Amino acid sequence: MARVYNFSAGPSALPEAVLQRARDELLDWRSTGMSIMEMSHRGKDFVAVAEKSEADLRELLAIPANYKVLFLQGGATGQFAAVPMNLLRGKTKACYVNTGLWSEKAIGEAKLFCSPDIAASSKESGFTIIPSRSDWRIDPDAAYLHYTANETIGGVEFQDIPDSAGLPLVCDMSSNILSRPLDVGRFGLIYAGAQKNMGPAGITVVIVREDLVGQALPGTPSIFDYKKQADNGSMLNTPPTYVWYLLGLVLEWLKEQGGLAAIEARNIRKAEKLYATIDASRYYSNPIEPDCRSRMNVPFRLANADLEKVFLAEARTAGLVNLEGHRSVGGFRASIYNAMPEEGVDALIEFMGEFERKHG
Ligand SMILES: Cc1ncc(COP(=O)(O)O)c(C=O)c1O
């Protein structure tokens, strides 16, 4: 069976080499006579896998020694709650930047624990820009400043790390982590669900500065308490061992690709040629301000919206799938994470040109 180019926003395409290796190792992992998913999470074999994945993540992202790396469950949505539970540290306010639907979800969940203060919002522009930094109002009494590095639905991405005016900077990096080099030392906390750039769904990475750990709100469930998880090597309960192993394979693949600088160069090439195709045509359009367009999720529309279903059907026939936009915004969205090969983007561009010639 031929594999398709899968533009899904998440769970997303995995590197083919990773899937092949997982297949090869499935029944008999390193001559143990069993699959890795059949082993105890506390046995030496799995513990070695878990430790290697942390070491590789630390290497790839150059994570400073004073940061804990946690592998948790509950998704990024779980972190929308875990962040205020752990980081309020006696304060009653936290600042949030609202750049789209994922920011709004984080804000909604924070309301269960504190009064989120909206430091800046691009809602009025329809989330097509990042609010100008000079307009951000950061309350010095807030516990932290939260932002969403890449809005997976809207297709808006921060191209640099914002200044948090001395507050611990907290970032939802679910849809662009590991897509470019990162200065982790600028952050108090980074979290990301794995299912876009790191592996299959089911595991969430949290990178948190040590001094922010250990002051969770009374009543915080143990599995959401960063200190308890850190003290237990993220194994307070049974972790999703197979997903963790697959995440480790993705990290090894990323190192083989040349690390984050190399993957960034490829990601820039992929995004630039796709946006160039959209911009050069009167038939396709993308509403996002050019300097905050996402390299990972590229939303676009057709001049003639009546042809959307035809576009999707013909794309599918050409082996290009999951191009539907999010149900809340419609149109199309091409998610072109690390695992999308450049040939996949080239195939989409070629298809878009042919479709325009045929129907435009
Ligand atoms: C930016 C962002 N944040 C949070 C989430 C929610 O992640 P999860 O489904 O792992 O809770 C997503 C999922 O697509 C996302 O793209």
Side-chain angles (χ1 to χ4, degrees), residues 53-67 69 177-178 180-187 190 207 251 255 259-261:
S53 67
E54 177 175 340
D56 284 343
L57 189 66
R58 284 186 177 278
E59 184 184 327
L60 280 162
L61 283 169
I63 300 175
N66 63 326
Y67 283 74
V69 176
I177 194 165
L178 296 172
R180 57 173 83 199
L182 186 68
D183 183 357
V184 173
R186 298 272 309 273
F187 293 87
I190 294 164
I207 302 166
L251 298 179
K255 283 169 60 178
L260 299 189

Side-chain angles (χ1 to χ4, degrees), residues 240-255:
T241 50
Y242 195 64
V243 175
W244 198 337
Y245 150 81
L246 288 167
L247 179 145
L249 295 190
V250 172
L251 298 179
E252 286 181 20
W253 172 82
L254 210 41
K255 283 169 60 178

